[in-house]
C-alpha cells in the first residue's frame, strides 16, 4: 500500500508541475512613472508631460529633447558615465559612451554624433537602450547610415513605441548642407532638427509568482495527510 501511495503522490506532483510550468505565462503592463538622466553634475528630468505611461511587454517609450536642444548630452564633454534612473530607484549606467561620447565630443557643428541603439541592461522589468540622433551636423553622413538617426529600433511613435520629444529649429545662421536628410538642407521642412541623446525603455515579459505554486504545495500536503490518516485506519 505504501508503495502505491508513493507512486500516486509522484504522479500527482508531476501532473500539477506540468500544469503550472507548462501553462502560458501571464504578463502584465508595467508603468514608467519617472525618468531622470544624470551625467556628472547635469541632471535631465524633461519628460513629466508624457509620463507616467503603461507599457505592455514588448512596448517601449523613447525619450529625447523636448524643447530646443535641451537633451544635447554630447556637448557636456563629461567623461562620467551617464546614469538613467527609472521610477526613482531602478538604475542603468551607460558605459558605452553613446550618450556622452566619453567626454571626447569635439563640440563642433561639423561632427556627426548620430549613433545606433545599444542595450545597457535589464532591471526592474525593463530593458534600456541608448542612442543619439543628430541631423544638424555639416559633415557628410556615411552611406550606411544616411538618416542621421538610430534606425535599428523605433524612434518615432509607432503601434508599439511612444516618442516623448520634439524637433526644433536650427540656430539662426546655421550653415546649410547638401544632405536631404538634414534639417538644414535646402528645402527642408522647418523645425525638424534633432541633436539629442535618446533613451528607450522597453517593457519585458515579467511573470508574477504564480499562485498555482501555492495550490501545488497545498495539494501535495493534502495527499500526504490523507495517506497518513489512511495508514492509521489500516493499522
Amino acid at each position: 500500500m505504501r508503495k502505491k501511495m508513493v507512486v500516486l503522490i509522484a504522479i500527482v506532483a508531476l501532473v500539477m508541475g506540468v500544469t503550472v510550468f507548462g501553462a502560458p505565462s501571464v504578463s502584465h503592463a508595467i508603468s514608467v512613472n519617472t525618468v531622470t538622466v544624470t551625467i556628472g553634475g547635469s541632471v535631465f528630468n524633461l519628460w513629466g508631460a508624457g509620463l507616467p505611461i503603461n507599457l505592455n511587454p514588448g512596448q517601449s517609450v523613447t525619450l529625447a529633447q523636448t524643447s530646443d536642444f535641451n537633451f544635447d548630452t554630447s556637448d557636456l564633454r563629461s567623461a562620467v558615465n551617464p546614469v538613467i534612473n527609472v521610477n526613482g530607484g531602478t538604475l542603468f549606467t551607460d558605459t558605452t559612451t553613446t550618450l556622452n561620447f566619453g567626454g571626447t565630443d569635439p563640440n563642433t557643428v561639423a561632427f556627426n554624433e548620430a549613433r545606433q541603439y545599444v542595450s545597457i541592461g535589464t532591471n526592474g522589468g525593463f530593458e534600456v537602450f541608448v542612442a543619439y540622433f543628430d541631423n544638424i551636423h555639416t559633415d557628410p553622413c556615411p552611406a550606411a547610415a544616411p538618416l542621421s538617426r538610430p534606425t535599428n529600433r523605433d524612434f518615432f511613435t509607432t503601434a508599439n513605441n511612444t516618442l516623448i520629444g520634439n524637433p526644433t529649429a536650427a540656430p539662426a545662421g546655421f550653415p546649410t548642407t547638401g544632405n536631404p536628410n538634414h534639417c538644414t538642407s535646402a528645402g527642408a521642412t522647418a523645425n525638424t532638427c534633432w541633436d539629442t541623446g535618446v533613451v528607450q525603455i522597453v517593457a519585458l515579459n515579467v511573470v508574477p509568482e504564480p499562485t498555482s505554486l501555492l495550490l501545488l504545495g497545498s495539494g501535495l500536503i493534502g495527499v500526504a495527510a490523507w495517506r497518513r490518516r489512511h495508514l492509521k485506519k489500516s493499522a
Side-chain angles (χ1 to χ4, degrees):
M1 172 63 84
R2 290 184 178 181
K3 289 184 178 180
K4 289 182 179 180
M5 291 307 304
V6 170
V7 172
L8 177 60
I9 291 174
I11 293 174
V12 171
L14 177 62
V15 171
M16 294 183 71
V18 169
T19 301
V20 171
F21 295 106
S25 299
V26 179
S27 56
H28 297 272
I30 52 179
S31 180
V32 178
N33 300 308
T34 62
V35 179
T36 301
V37 179
T38 303
I39 306 177
S42 299
V43 179
F44 299 90
N45 184 10
L46 310 172
W47 306 283
L51 299 176
I53 184 172
N54 291 323
L55 301 176
N56 291 315
Q59 292 183 327
S60 57
V61 59
T62 299
L63 311 175
Q65 67 188 36
T66 57
S67 177
D68 295 325
F69 299 107
N70 62 351
F71 196 42
D72 186 352
T73 54
S74 65
D75 285 355
L76 294 176
R77 299 181 64 80
S78 171
V80 178
N81 289 331
V83 176
I84 300 163
N85 187 328
V86 180
N87 290 344
T90 305
L91 304 180
F92 301 83
T93 301
D94 174 20
T95 60
T96 67
T97 72
T98 298
L99 290 178
N100 67 339
F101 291 76
T104 62
D105 187 284
N107 199 12
T108 67
V109 298
F111 183 62
N112 179 8
E113 299 169 329
R115 292 194 176 186
Q116 295 293 326
Y117 283 108
V118 59
S119 173
I120 60 170
T122 59
N123 194 5
F126 302 105
E127 182 171 11
V128 170
F129 294 81
V130 290
Y132 207 94
F133 188 172
D134 174 17
N135 69 349
I136 194 173
H137 58 273
T138 58
D139 278 351
C141 291
L147 296 180
S148 301
R149 64 176 169 85
T151 55
N152 57 335
R153 298 185 60 83
D154 289 331
F155 175 79
F156 296 107
T157 296
T158 65
N160 290 310
N161 181 63
T162 299
L163 171 63
I164 304 177
N166 297 293
T168 190
F174 196 90
T176 60
T177 68
N179 188 322
N181 296 309
H182 286 189
C183 67
T184 55
S185 64
T189 304
N191 301 324
T192 56
C193 293
W194 299 88
D195 185 356
T196 178
V198 180
V199 175
Q200 186 175 94
I201 302 169
V202 183
L204 301 178
N205 188 13
V206 178
V207 181
E209 187 69 22
T211 55
S212 302
L213 292 177
L214 178 61
L215 294 176
L216 171 61
S218 300
L220 292 177
I221 291 172
V223 171
W226 177 85
R227 173 177 173 270
R228 285 197 299 269
R229 190 169 67 175
H230 180 76
L231 289 176
K232 285 182 181 179
K233 288 182 178 180
S234 300

